Amino acid sequence: MKKISFLSSIIFIITIFTCLSLGYFISNIIVITSLPSTNNIKIEKQTFFAICMKDDEITPEKLKSNIQSQNGAGYFYKKDNQNYMIASIYENKNDAELVKSNLVSSGYDIDFLVLDIPEKNIDGNFDENQKNILTNCLKADIDIYKKLYDVVVSYDTNILDKTKAKLECNNIYSYIISIKTNFLTFFKDENLKNIENNLLKIEKLLSNLVSEIYESNSQTFSSLIKSTYCQIILG
């Protein structure tokens, strides 16, 4: 009987120890998984290629007006103490080179400009939902550019008429509103104020784009779209 009692005691102690250890292990897993994870959210550097028009015989304002009346952006940009009048921006270098060749062969004086958009980083403790929201915010300007570029290419090639192109621009405007709303709902950190300001800037530019009052006889709708995405990327 004594041997059985001693053996039973040992088994009982081992069982209790195992249960306590398992409980501690499970509680640690629950605590770890419930805490926000430390993340580095990074958007890689982006490179764009700009076609810039030149004409030393007329004023910059006249050049801008001429470009905008011919569907170009007419966006004034300064780099390395040089002034440029951008007609359009391309993500694909081959597309930009093709446009440049066509314009040069037509007698235009062209500058070819490489534009490097620096990478963006945020460090902090974010859950997966917050991380997704911040990622969308950081790449909003690039995403909006791509959407507007697709619209203007379809419009310039008559795949979309003006009504449908405007509808697509309205959809893009709604998209940035949703991104901004999500950001303001989940983040109140003053350290992220620069993100909020950028979203507000993009929202305002898109609001101007979809408003009839911003169209004029001297600037075509195609030019307005291009100048809008130039301001979003470079402004």
Side-chain angles (χ1 to χ4, degrees), residues 49-53 85-90 96-97 99-100 103 110-113:
F49 307 93
I51 298 298
C52 307
M53 311 290 284
M85 191 68 69
I86 295 178
S88 192
I89 295 175
Y90 301 86
E97 291 280 11
V99 172
K100 175 188 173 183
L103 289 172
I110 302 296
D111 274 326
F112 189 80
L113 190 61

Side-chain angles (χ1 to χ4, degrees), residues 31 57 65 72 115 119 122 171 193 195 197 209 217 222-223:
V31 170
E57 297 181 2
S65 178
L115 305 168
E119 70 175 29
I122 298 180
N171 291 337
K193 194 68 177 179
I195 294 179
N197 290 338
L209 174 61
N217 293 329
S222 175
S223 168

Side-chain angles (χ1 to χ4, degrees), residues 6-230:
F6 178 76
L7 182 60
S8 298
S9 297
I10 293 298
I11 293 173
F12 177 76
I13 292 171
I14 293 173
T15 302
I16 293 297
F17 180 80
T18 302
C19 289
L20 289 174
S21 299
L22 183 61
Y24 179 77
F25 178 72
I26 292 173
S27 66
N28 276 341
I29 291 177
I30 292 173
V31 170
I32 291 172
T33 55
S34 64
L35 289 173
S37 58
T38 301
N39 295 295
N40 172 259
I41 304 172
K42 184 170 74 172
I43 304 300
E44 300 291 344
K45 181 186 79 172
Q46 302 284 321
T47 300
F48 293 92
F49 307 93
I51 298 298
C52 307
M53 311 290 284
K54 298 190 296 183
D55 193 332
D56 297 330
E57 297 181 2
I58 61 176
T59 64
E61 282 302 315
K62 181 62 176 176
L63 177 61
K64 175 180 178 179
S65 178
N66 288 349
I67 292 172
Q68 291 183 340
S69 67
Q70 299 177 60
N71 294 337
Y75 179 75
F76 179 82
Y77 182 68
K78 189 170 186 176
K79 181 182 179 182
D80 300 330
N81 294 320
Q82 293 289 323
N83 297 322
Y84 299 92
M85 191 68 69
I86 295 178
S88 192
I89 295 175
Y90 301 86
E91 186 181 17
N92 186 291
K93 185 177 181 179
N94 290 334
D95 290 343
E97 291 280 11
L98 179 61
V99 172
K100 175 188 173 183
S101 297
N102 289 337
L103 289 172
V104 169
S105 64
S106 298
Y108 289 98
D109 196 3
I110 302 296
D111 274 326
F112 189 80
L113 190 61
V114 178
L115 305 168
D116 289 322
I117 310 301
E119 70 175 29
K120 302 173 185 178
N121 284 280
I122 298 180
D123 291 313
N125 295 324
F126 310 114
D127 60 32
E128 196 62 30
N129 186 48
Q130 291 173 324
K131 185 176 180 180
N132 289 335
I133 291 171
L134 286 175
T135 299
N136 286 335
C137 291
L138 288 182
K139 63 188 184 73
D141 48 0
I142 306 299
D143 285 347
I144 296 297
Y145 159 79
K146 291 179 180 179
K147 292 176 184 293
L148 289 176
Y149 180 83
D150 288 343
V151 171
V152 81
V153 168
S154 295
Y155 178 64
D156 286 345
T157 55
N158 297 318
I159 296 174
L160 294 177
D161 61 21
K162 191 172 184 178
T163 300
K164 291 181 180 178
K166 285 188 173 183
L167 180 60
E168 290 298 321
C169 290
N170 273 289
N171 291 337
I172 296 170
Y173 177 61
S174 298
Y175 173 72
I176 198 63
I177 291 293
S178 68
I179 290 178
K180 188 195 75 172
T181 300
N182 286 337
F183 175 80
L184 294 178
T185 300
F186 287 92
F187 298 97
K188 307 297 180 183
D189 191 344
E190 282 296 317
N191 293 327
L192 301 177
K193 194 68 177 179
N194 61 319
I195 294 179
E196 179 182 348
N197 290 338
N198 188 55
L199 293 175
L200 290 171
K201 180 200 77 174
I202 297 173
E203 178 191 355
K204 182 177 180 181
L205 289 169
L206 290 175
S207 176
N208 294 346
L209 174 61
V210 300
S211 299
E212 295 282 348
I213 58 173
Y214 282 89
E215 290 188 52
S216 66
N217 293 329
S218 61
Q219 184 176 25
T220 66
F221 184 57
S222 175
S223 168
L224 187 57
I225 296 175
K226 291 166 187 168
S227 63
T228 298
Y229 64 56
C230 285

